[in-house]
């Protein structure tokens, strides 16, 4: 499946004697040795969690807490399974609630964003994570500086720029991902605010590289933009793969992210896996 071109290989491991490990993930994610994808997703009954659990593995083999676009795909699968219009499931980042809003359109309640430096997490104390001390380029004349940091199930660093298209994200994305300020590494975005209700976003995903879309990055960018008084609480975020709707609700502080999903095909891995 994919969410706006963000590619997932999704495995239903419920009641199956199978397990995913880092090496297997890397083989599956590489289109030379497997089907190829940005993330490997599992649907499973995991010990220590109530109900259905969604596991998220980046292409480099590391398991992470959340993936917004994958959550919309898993929500769609679970709703088709039950025939209901909503679904709840657990992730490493917490419980998610999915709602069908169209034939192939799903909204996800991503819960509350976290801003405290320990929750992101950062390696050192910063009292105002709207602007964190990261610079690119010469110290006295940096090219980019003062990004926002936020956790929406995984850590994000967002640079606000005048022109998102002109930024060499493929060059500095991996540098910021591995910056010592981010002990768990970080997803890196460049965000161009085009109106009070619109953001153009490009994303370097932790462990995956540049992707066509990233749901948690869209949520993080909208929240960060509003905290810096650049946008309203509701915005359309345009990624390389298309548009996501994001609303940071005032009454409960929850982020609602909505967009299209696509079911591509169903298959099975060969016995060699």
């Amino acid at each position: 499946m994919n969410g706006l071109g963000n590619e997932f290989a999704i495995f239903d491991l419920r009641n199956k004697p199978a397990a995913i490990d880092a090496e297997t993930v890397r083989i599956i994610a590489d289109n030379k040795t497997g089907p190829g994808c940005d993330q490997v997703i599992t649907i499973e009954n995991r010990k220590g969690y109530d109900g259905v659990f969604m596991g998220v593995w980046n292409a480099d083999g590391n398991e992470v807490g959340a993936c917004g676009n994958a959550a919309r795909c898993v929500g769609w699968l679970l709703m088709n399974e039950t025939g209901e219009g909503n679904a709840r499931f657990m992730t490493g980042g917490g419980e998610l609630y999915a709602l069908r809003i169209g034939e192939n359109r799903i909204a996800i309640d991503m819960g509350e964003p976290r801003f405290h430096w320990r929750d992101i997490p950062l390696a050192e104390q910063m009292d105002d994570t709207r602007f964190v001390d990261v610079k690119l380029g010469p110290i006295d004349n940096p090219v980019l500086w003062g990004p926002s940091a936020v956790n929406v199930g995984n850590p994000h660093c967002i640079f606000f720029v005048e022109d998102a298209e002109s930024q060499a994200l493929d060059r500095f994305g991996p540098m910021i991902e591995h910056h010592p300020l981010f002990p768990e590494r970080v997803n890196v975005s460049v965000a161009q605010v085009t109106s009070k209700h619109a953001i153009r976003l490009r994303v370097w995903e932790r462990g995956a590289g540049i992707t066509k879309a990233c749901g948690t990055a869209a949520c993080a960018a909208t929240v960060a933009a509003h905290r810096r008084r650049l946008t309203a609480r509701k915005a359309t975020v345009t990624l390389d793969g298309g548009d996501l709707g994001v609303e940071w609700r005032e009454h409960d502080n929850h982020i609602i992210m909505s967009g299209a999903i696509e079911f591509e095909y169903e298959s099975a891995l060969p016995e060699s896996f």
Side-chain angles (χ1 to χ4, degrees), residues 114-115 120 122 129 132 147-151 156-158 182 227:
R114 289 174 283 172
F115 307 117
I120 290 171
L122 302 180
T129 52
V132 299
S148 290
V150 58
N151 188 303
H156 286 267
C157 172
I158 309 102
F182 303 102
R227 290 185 80 210

Side-chain angles (χ1 to χ4, degrees), residues 9-224:
I10 303 174
F11 296 90
D12 187 349
L13 302 183
R14 291 172 293 176
N15 306 313
K16 289 185 175 65
I20 293 286
D21 59 26
E23 182 182 2
T24 306
V25 168
R26 288 190 288 268
I27 294 170
I28 292 169
D30 187 339
N31 58 19
K32 298 183 184 67
T33 54
C37 59
D38 295 316
Q39 278 91 17
V40 171
I41 307 299
T42 58
I43 302 174
E44 54 186 287
N45 299 314
R46 184 173 293 195
K47 187 176 180 180
Y49 292 90
D50 293 331
V52 175
F53 181 88
M54 180 184 84
V56 183
W57 302 75
N58 281 340
D60 64 357
N62 285 306
E63 187 172 13
V64 296
C67 177
N69 281 326
R72 292 190 295 106
C73 292
V74 168
W76 184 87
L77 287 170
L78 295 176
M79 283 182 251
N80 282 4
E81 186 178 283
T82 64
E84 298 179 359
N86 59 78
R88 290 185 184 274
F89 50 96
M90 297 299 298
T91 71
E95 185 180 42
L96 297 181
Y97 174 74
L99 180 69
R100 189 189 303 275
I101 58 173
E103 183 177 355
N104 288 311
R105 292 184 63 81
I106 302 295
I108 289 279
D109 183 339
M110 298 293 293
E112 297 186 58
R114 289 174 283 172
F115 307 117
H116 193 277
W117 68 274
R118 286 195 181 95
D119 294 331
I120 290 171
L122 302 180
E124 59 187 76
Q125 181 174 343
M126 292 191 183
D127 295 328
D128 186 357
T129 52
R130 291 177 300 172
F131 302 89
V132 299
D133 188 17
V134 174
K135 297 182 178 70
L136 276 174
I139 294 176
D140 57 347
N141 188 27
V143 179
L144 291 173
W145 67 93
S148 290
V150 58
N151 188 303
V152 286
N154 49 25
H156 286 267
C157 172
I158 309 102
F159 290 92
F160 289 93
V161 299
E162 291 186 3
D163 181 7
E165 313 301 332
S166 67
Q167 304 300 320
L169 189 57
D170 58 332
R171 291 171 55 192
F172 68 77
M175 295 167 55
I176 302 299
E177 176 188 348
H178 295 276
H179 192 286
L181 183 64
F182 303 102
E184 295 181 5
R185 299 186 294 157
V186 72
N187 300 285
V188 186
S189 298
V190 287
Q192 175 187 347
V193 175
T194 56
S195 79
K196 282 291 184 182
H197 297 278
I199 300 170
R200 170 68 176 111
L201 190 71
R202 296 177 60 221
V203 184
W204 175 276
E205 274 199 70
R206 176 181 61 168
I210 291 178
T211 53
K212 291 183 179 179
C214 177
T216 56
C219 295
T222 303
V223 167

